[in-house]
Amino acid sequence: MNLQIKHVVVLFSCLVGARVMAQPGPIPFPFNPPCGMPPNTSYDLSSDGVFDLELVGTEVGTDDVPSSYGWCGRALRGVNGTTFLRVVDGSGPGEPTRFARHDTLPVLGRENDLMPSRYQWTDTEVQVIAWPYGTAIGEPNQPSLDPERPVVVLRVPGAEGAKWVAALLEVREASREVYVIALAEAPEGEVLRW
């Protein structure tokens, strides 16, 4: 009889343990992550029903848990083959080039043609805004977008050929909101004015 009671207790414990482990929902942590981020945002700048850009959260910090020093941020990345224009200036690899609010991009050539050597299409991210957390809060903010040069140029592939799109990036520093607005587009190989 004693052996049967032990089996019932062991069986009951296993069932209760399995039920507890199968509860839905996030695993609770004793701390909050330092960079509470809104969900990623996708943009269809070419109005063809396919997303061209995605705004994502970024975080760089110390390895201690919870992280005591670091930077939160929001960055834009091209999706579905979208790339950013970068003018090579001898400073090595870097972020895409930012342009003035009103500018013109001359004819550069098509993606598969030889382009002037100082122009490149790159699939790197564009850091749009960054803010400190933890013990980094006393440090100066990392520079966000230059208000004199808030435009990036994108190469957006499509079913009817690639387009060049000039996109205005606006940031509300206080609320950390980011807006991406298509200013102008042109078929690849044509002059782009915005």
Side-chain angles (χ1 to χ4, degrees):
M1 187 74 143
N2 232 354
L3 188 58
Q4 289 176 340
I5 292 175
K6 283 184 183 180
H7 286 118
V8 169
V9 169
V10 169
L11 179 62
F12 181 72
S13 298
C14 289
L15 291 174
V16 169
R19 177 83 174 139
V20 169
M21 289 175 34
Q23 294 298 313
I27 298 172
F29 288 102
F31 62 90
N32 290 327
C35 298
M37 293 287 176
N40 292 350
T41 306
S42 297
Y43 300 93
D44 175 13
L45 298 180
S46 59
S47 302
D48 62 358
V50 177
F51 291 124
D52 306 313
L53 290 175
E54 185 175 37
L55 182 67
V56 298
T58 61
E59 179 182 339
V60 178
T62 56
D63 291 335
D64 56 332
V65 177
S67 180
S68 59
Y69 174 96
W71 294 87
C72 305
R74 303 279 278 160
L76 276 174
R77 72 168 67 138
V79 293
N80 297 317
T82 298
T83 53
F84 294 91
L85 181 66
R86 180 173 178 274
V87 179
V88 180
D89 60 3
S91 63
E95 283 198 348
T97 301
R98 313 263 173 89
F99 295 90
R101 199 173 275 272
H102 301 286
D103 208 340
T104 301
L105 185 68
V107 175
L108 301 178
R110 302 200 191 300
E111 174 69 15
N112 296 324
D113 293 342
L114 292 175
M115 294 174 61
S117 60
R118 56 177 265 175
Y119 295 102
Q120 294 177 346
W121 294 106
T122 178
D123 61 358
T124 188
E125 290 184 349
V126 175
Q127 190 70 34
V128 182
I129 183 172
W131 63 93
Y133 71 82
T135 56
I137 287 178
E139 296 183 16
N141 284 340
Q142 291 181 353
S144 58
L145 295 174
D146 178 355
E148 300 297 317
R149 305 181 73 75
V151 176
V152 292
V153 174
L154 306 155
R155 179 183 184 273
V156 180
E160 299 173 10
K163 297 177 185 178
W164 292 345
V165 178
L168 173 67
L169 308 179
E170 288 188 354
V171 176
R172 305 287 189 267
E173 295 279 347
S175 63
R176 300 178 183 143
E177 294 174 292
V178 177
Y179 300 94
V180 180
I181 303 155
L183 297 177
E185 66 179 52
E188 185 175 45
E190 302 295 327
V191 174
L192 177 63
R193 288 186 178 88
W194 64 91

